[in-house]
Amino acid sequence: MNTAHLVLDRHAVVGPVHRRLFGGFVEHLGRHIYDGIYEPTHPTAGPDGFRRDVIALVRELGVSTIRYPGGNFVSGFRWEDGVGPREQRPRRLDLAWHSTETNEVGLHEFAGWLDAVGSDLMLAVNLGTRGVEEALELLEYTNVPGGTTLSERRRANGRDEPFGVEMWCLGNEMDGPWQLGHRSADAYGQVAAQAARAMRMLDPSIRLVVCGSSGSHMPTFGEWERTVLTHTYDVVDYISCHAYYEERDGDVASFLASGVDMDHFIETVVATADHVGAVRRSRKRIDISFDEWNVWYQSRFESFEQIRGIDNWPVAPRLLEDVYSVTDAVVVGGLLISLLRHADRVTSASLAQLVNVIAPIMTEPGGPAWRQTTFFPFATTSRLARGTSLRVVADAPTRATARYGDVPVIDAAATWDEAAASGAVFLVNRDPEAATTVTVDLGRLGDGVRAGDSVLLHDEDRHARNTLAEPERVRLRPLDVTTSAGVATLTLPPVSWAAVPVAVVG
Ligand code: AHR
């Protein structure tokens, strides 16, 4: 049995917890839209064709801003195809996922669905096969109240008020050779700066995300960020980070420590952005939009490779439908801890993705919708993390990992909401074999702070999953936490994640 000690101090503030940290991502990919959120023949579907059971789960998940419509998909997408009378919308080839896009769901339908789930829209523009002009046209269509050709077209298409989209991504993963329109950092930096300048001339209130690397493993990582920001520093607000993790070769210790990699990734991108700012003598600060992050078993990603042929472009094929284990969910909980720890610079993030496609929510056509294991840490953290993120002082034993060296077995983040006099501690036990008893010093949060009803994600079988046959096999369990003399004590089993709400009592 390990022991660890944490100290929380409400004055040791990292930064405010932005609601945008708990964003999601919906791409036109596989069964995400069609046979996912949208299935007009499903018994729960409303008149708009969207499944009400899925809407209820997305609301429960608590996603703030949702990035749309891609992803790789956006780099070949013509936004005009998805607006106007449905019967006139074209069927197009989606080269990114070798599928057919029917355009039955487009901007208006998706925005209506967002109203139902209570989330905001974050739009990506196509800088792959298209450019500045189309980005401007889309912005005019979405954000100009009226009186111009495109804003009037929006109104004629049934949306009187502007969509008022604030967050915009300048393309997607343009460093990746798989991306339509992939280009060098220099070439992308130039076009992104032109698009950003033009879009700001149209609507200065928007917030712009320029593409960083599609992963820190990319050969151009670091230099890509430096070059792109050198072109765009004055005209963008965020640079994106993308990261996916998976358990490789049975190395569970390294997999559980994925948050160490995310920490390093964030810190190197922040350092690179600040370097560009320093060279420019700029007082402006660029934040991070971690707009794709999750566990994704890319090494098992075979279904897509099998879709081939000039005459084979399926509609909504089953793609990237990872079924997540308890271990995967513990890693997701650990990644959320890393995001919270960097809340001063990571002010926007999107779990990739939302339904069916590497997703916390699964559906069966004509059948049920259910929560994957990864649903639980996301929903709980989104619900409890309010106010400010606190710097947690932790004293924990380390464990050797093949990928990241010696890693503390306990990792934690904490939040505190001064007005509500309440907060939360999020903890992960990254030890694959040993339980850890953790004491948490709450004294510096204020007098009379005690732990409340706490939850644990753990299973004797770390491979346990929720499936169509057994949709509630894995759930959160109550966690026993005692508070005495301002110290909370709890025991985390191996491979577990927990959330402990704390509040002033009495
Ligand atoms: O989320 C799946 C894919 O991963 C996205 O389309 C792309 O941006 C990334 O490579």
Side-chain angles (χ1 to χ4, degrees), residues 25 27 29 71-72 97 172-173 178 244 292 296 320 353 358:
F25 173 31
E27 178 166 5
L29 195 181
N72 296 339
W97 302 106
N172 176 69
E173 294 191 348
W178 57 87
Y244 293 101
E292 287 189 33
W296 176 12
L320 282 61
Q353 298 196 14
I358 47 173

Side-chain angles (χ1 to χ4, degrees), residues 75-146:
S75 294
F77 178 54
R78 299 161 52 89
W79 67 268
E80 306 90 324
D81 291 348
V83 303
R86 270 185 167 156
E87 60 286 359
Q88 289 169 23
R89 294 187 194 171
R91 288 167 73 88
R92 298 278 189 199
L93 299 180
D94 165 13
L95 301 187
W97 302 106
H98 206 94
S99 305
T100 296
E101 174 53 54
T102 64
N103 285 302
E104 211 172 324
V105 172
L107 181 58
H108 289 256
E109 294 80 19
F110 189 70
W113 181 79
L114 285 176
D115 289 342
V117 299
S119 302
D120 294 330
L121 181 58
M122 176 185 201
L123 268 183
V125 300
N126 174 356
L127 292 187
T129 57
R130 310 188 90 189
V132 179
E133 187 174 358
E134 294 87 351
L136 277 176
E137 287 173 354
L138 177 56
L139 180 59
E140 178 185 332
Y141 188 89
T142 59
N143 283 14
V144 171

Side-chain angles (χ1 to χ4, degrees), residues 304-318:
F304 175 58
E305 304 301 328
Q306 286 156 12
I307 304 178
R308 285 272 173 270
I310 191 74
D311 57 351
N312 180 27
W313 300 86
V315 175
R318 287 184 185 254

Side-chain angles (χ1 to χ4, degrees), residues 409-437:
V409 292
I410 295 295
D411 194 21
T415 57
W416 182 252
D417 184 342
E418 195 68 44
S422 65
V425 193
F426 307 95
L427 309 99
V428 62
N429 184 1
R430 309 191 280 203
D431 195 310
E433 285 108 23
T436 305
T437 294

Side-chain angles (χ1 to χ4, degrees), residues 5-82:
H5 184 63
L6 309 179
V7 180
L8 309 185
D9 181 343
R10 70 190 168 96
H11 299 294
V13 170
V14 175
V17 178
H18 291 261
R19 284 311 298 158
R20 281 201 183 117
L21 209 53
F22 303 103
F25 173 31
V26 170
E27 178 166 5
H28 282 250
L29 195 181
R31 294 194 308 124
H32 203 159
I33 303 274
Y34 310 110
D35 280 354
I37 66 174
Y38 178 80
E39 191 187 337
T41 56
H42 192 272
T44 72
D48 55 4
F50 289 108
R51 284 180 62 157
R52 295 290 177 259
D53 56 345
V54 177
I55 288 172
L57 284 177
V58 175
R59 291 189 76 92
E60 183 185 328
L61 187 64
V63 273
S64 51
T65 306
I66 297 186
R67 183 168 174 253
Y68 175 85
N72 296 339
F73 171 80
V74 80
S75 294
F77 178 54
R78 299 161 52 89
W79 67 268
E80 306 90 324
D81 291 348

